Amino acid sequence: MRYAQGGGVSDERRQFREEIRMTAAERFAVGEPSSVIAKELRVSVRSVQRWRRAWDKGGPRALRSVGSASPPRLSEAQFTQLERELAKGPVAHGWPDQRWTLSRIKTVIGRRFHKSYTLQGVRKLLIRHGFSCQVPARRAVERDEEKVTGWVKETWPQVEGPRRRSMRGSSSRTSPASR
């Protein structure tokens, strides 16, 4: 099971779930019905039935936790190095502006650690370590206020067009004026 903010189940939670399965295994040995076990352990009957099938095949050992689904590709030490690289800024890594994107971070990870991530993998990695999507608090360094002001005054009114119609509107869809 995966969680958006945590990247998976913690070790404590995994241990807690394993204890529930071991309690169920003790009750399987006694011969209790799945519905009673599910109700008392506060889990679904379907889960208890799945555990019972595994228990029938391999005993209590089959209900043990096998650990994390996959180890993280970047160790904590490597992620600390990545944070230092990100703190240098995109310009230090060869991009023309001061904006980090997922694809740029993916490229830095590939160059620095020789690891391949998908864009969603980079996103999950950053969220797991407390990063979030942000809008810059300041304007871009490259921004030219005079050009922006000129564009807003001259070009935008031509693109936007007039707000009101020159003639009265009609709410009827069959009106020739609305076509």
Side-chain angles (χ1 to χ4, degrees):
M1 180 177 270
R2 295 284 173 201
Y3 298 96
Q5 297 300 317
V9 180
S10 67
D11 290 333
E12 297 83 25
R13 188 69 181 162
R14 191 177 299 112
Q15 179 65 31
F16 173 74
R17 289 179 176 186
E18 183 175 332
E19 289 171 10
I20 289 176
R21 291 191 300 271
M22 291 304 148
T23 304
E26 294 169 4
R27 293 174 155 202
F28 296 153
V30 177
E32 287 187 41
S34 297
S35 59
V36 173
I37 296 172
K39 185 174 183 179
E40 290 183 13
L41 295 179
R42 297 176 57 194
V43 295
S44 69
V45 175
R46 190 167 224 167
S47 291
V48 174
Q49 290 169 345
R50 187 171 18 112
W51 299 341
R52 187 182 296 270
R53 283 192 304 273
W55 181 78
D56 287 339
K57 289 180 183 176
R61 177 174 242 141
L63 298 178
R64 296 196 86 94
S65 175
V66 293
S68 178
S70 63
R73 289 187 191 161
L74 290 182
S75 67
E76 289 301 318
Q78 288 175 323
F79 190 81
T80 303
Q81 290 176 356
L82 176 63
E83 283 181 309
R84 284 195 297 265
E85 294 297 321
L86 296 178
K88 292 178 184 176
V91 173
H93 293 278
W95 284 285
D97 59 3
Q98 288 290 338
R99 190 183 54 185
W100 279 118
T101 62
L102 292 176
S103 62
R104 289 179 179 184
I105 296 172
K106 174 185 170 186
T107 303
V108 170
I109 291 171
R111 288 177 185 166
R112 182 83 168 108
F113 305 107
H114 306 289
K115 307 271 181 167
S116 176
Y117 270 88
T118 63
L119 293 179
Q120 287 301 316
V122 172
R123 181 183 148 276
K124 288 179 182 179
L125 174 73
L126 294 174
I127 288 173
R128 192 175 306 131
H129 285 88
F131 285 78
S132 64
C133 297
Q134 297 179 358
V135 177
R138 298 171 297 180
R139 300 284 184 190
V141 176
E142 301 85 6
R143 183 179 170 109
D144 184 357
E145 288 297 329
E146 291 178 13
K147 286 185 179 178
V148 170
T149 305
W151 186 88
V152 168
K153 287 182 180 177
E154 297 169 14
T155 309
W156 179 244
Q158 295 170 0
V159 173
E160 184 180 30
R163 290 189 176 240
R164 295 183 179 217
R165 294 182 178 182
S166 58
M167 53 195 251
R168 288 183 54 191
S170 171
S171 61
S172 171
R173 293 188 182 265
T174 60
S175 170
S178 66
R179 291 186 196 156

